[in-house]
Amino acid sequence: MAGIYVHIPFCKKLCFYCDFYHLISTEDNTAFIDALLLEASLRQDYLENETVSTIYFGGGTPSAFSIKELGTILNEIKKLFRVEENCEITIELNPDDINSVYLEGLRELNFNRVSLGIQSWRDSDLKMLNRRHDSAHAAQALKETFDAGFENVSIDLIYGIPGMSAEEWALNLDQAFSYDIKHLSAYHLTLEPGTVFGKMLEKGLIAEIDEDESNMLFNILIEKAESAGFIQYEISNFGKPGYFSIHNSNYWKQVNYLGLGPSAHSFNGYSRQWNVRDVKGYIKLINTGKSFFEKEELDTKARFNEYIMTSLRTMWGIDLEYIEETFEKEGYDYVVNTAGKFKDYGMMIQNKNSLVLTNQGKMISDNIISEFMMVVNS
Ligand SMILES: C[S@@+](CC[C@H](N)C(=O)[O-])C[C@H]1O[C@@H](n2cnc3c(N)ncnc32)[C@H](O)[C@@H]1O
Ligand code: SF4
């Protein structure tokens, strides 16, 4: 049931908001691909021969790579790991990279799920975000994706962009749901330190939208998604029944995964590790047999915190039986006591054996989660 994540850290243009590890694409990807494949072979035992049920090519921009390059990586992974026959194989695509020939190539490689980075249907937003595509491009890319025979199609949208009104956000969602997409990831814009927007924030040239407006946009999202037949299975993720992302769900359900490539994270139940965030350094360290990652062994409290952080964001919530089995009576009592006030305030409800956030609770999920955190001994 394990997963594999492949990080392709190259982008053709840098978006002003993005803090994912990425740099401008290079002409020749050979040294990177060789290092990635070497990493895959060095870490062949990481998943302890578990079957792999999801592979996810993310970035950066995986669609900056040719079909041949993607095939080289995917085929090697299939050789090295026990990949299930009906494995979910996802690729993130930037709308302006793709055409019918490229999409056909992806189908031939057996990619069976795509995630298109539309971000907004408004050209003024796309310009502000420094995206390469415009809305006409996005519509064309989506049409070509369906025409190529992809059925399991997800799109990414960003809301809370300064200058976007509630009506415009609602129209953005209507346009998204007018297509036969099966999944939507909708993220509230965050102004990350170190990004262009982060620097603009420091200089007072841009500001976060206020909390009431954020909540209003979030409510519009929940209502529109629900009436279009989508289920909010995680705070930012909505799927039609049967189309939740297995890959993302696995992250939230503590399933083991191996992350390949610079900045990629891996998890095996007891430790978490993350590769260096530097392509050149990554290639050099791998090729010289040196350590290319940092690792944190997770003690009981850290494992508890991880579980709360991920489970509380999902529709499945905190599983109280799992808490009792894994963290014993002490963990169980702690969770039930902490949940008390949130239940009283209508922020959380207890179903038979689980604690889940209500829509009101989802609006302040980060605050609620932080109240559940156990202090980790260092
Ligand atoms: C790794 S990125 C992108 C994949 C692909 N390169 C693209 O741009 O479409 C995954 C998604 O995270 C979202 N994202 C990244 N940074 C964000 C930010 N600061 N605020 C909100 N959403 C963000 C965007 O919606 C983006 O599509
Ligand atoms: S959003 Fe996508 S294309 Fe833009 S910089 Fe981030 S990874 Fe690259």
Side-chain angles (χ1 to χ4, degrees), residues 8 45 125 148 269 284 290 301 336 347 370:
I8 307 293
D45 295 334
D125 294 336
K284 194 168 167 202
K290 297 198 178 122
K301 283 184 181 167
V336 171
M347 303 277 178
S370 70

Side-chain angles (χ1 to χ4, degrees), residues 5-108:
Y5 173 79
V6 181
H7 191 73
I8 307 293
F10 305 107
C11 298
K12 294 181 185 165
K13 186 175 174 189
L14 306 184
C15 306
F16 288 165
Y17 53 91
C18 183
D19 185 37
F20 285 80
Y21 178 60
H22 61 273
L23 51 146
I24 287 287
S25 303
T26 49
E27 289 283 298
D28 184 2
N29 300 314
T30 318
F32 170 76
I33 293 174
D34 287 349
L36 191 75
L37 299 186
L38 184 53
E39 183 190 359
S41 70
L42 289 170
R43 301 184 66 197
Q44 205 180 350
D45 295 334
Y46 187 82
L47 297 173
E48 295 181 341
N49 214 23
E50 263 187 84
T51 56
V52 172
S53 56
T54 83
I55 302 174
Y56 191 106
F57 280 57
T61 308
S63 52
F65 273 19
S66 68
I67 293 296
K68 188 160 176 271
E69 290 169 327
L70 295 171
T72 303
I73 300 168
L74 186 56
N75 290 333
E76 189 63 16
I77 288 175
K78 286 183 178 169
K79 270 192 221 147
L80 292 169
F81 298 91
R82 285 211 301 143
V83 176
E84 271 178 24
E85 206 177 314
N86 58 351
C87 181
E88 176 188 271
I89 312 182
T90 305
I91 183 163
E92 289 177 353
L93 302 174
N94 284 40
D96 46 342
D97 283 333
I98 58 175
N99 55 38
S100 56
V101 177
Y102 192 84
L103 289 159
E104 188 49 43
L106 293 177
R107 297 257 307 155
E108 278 167 16

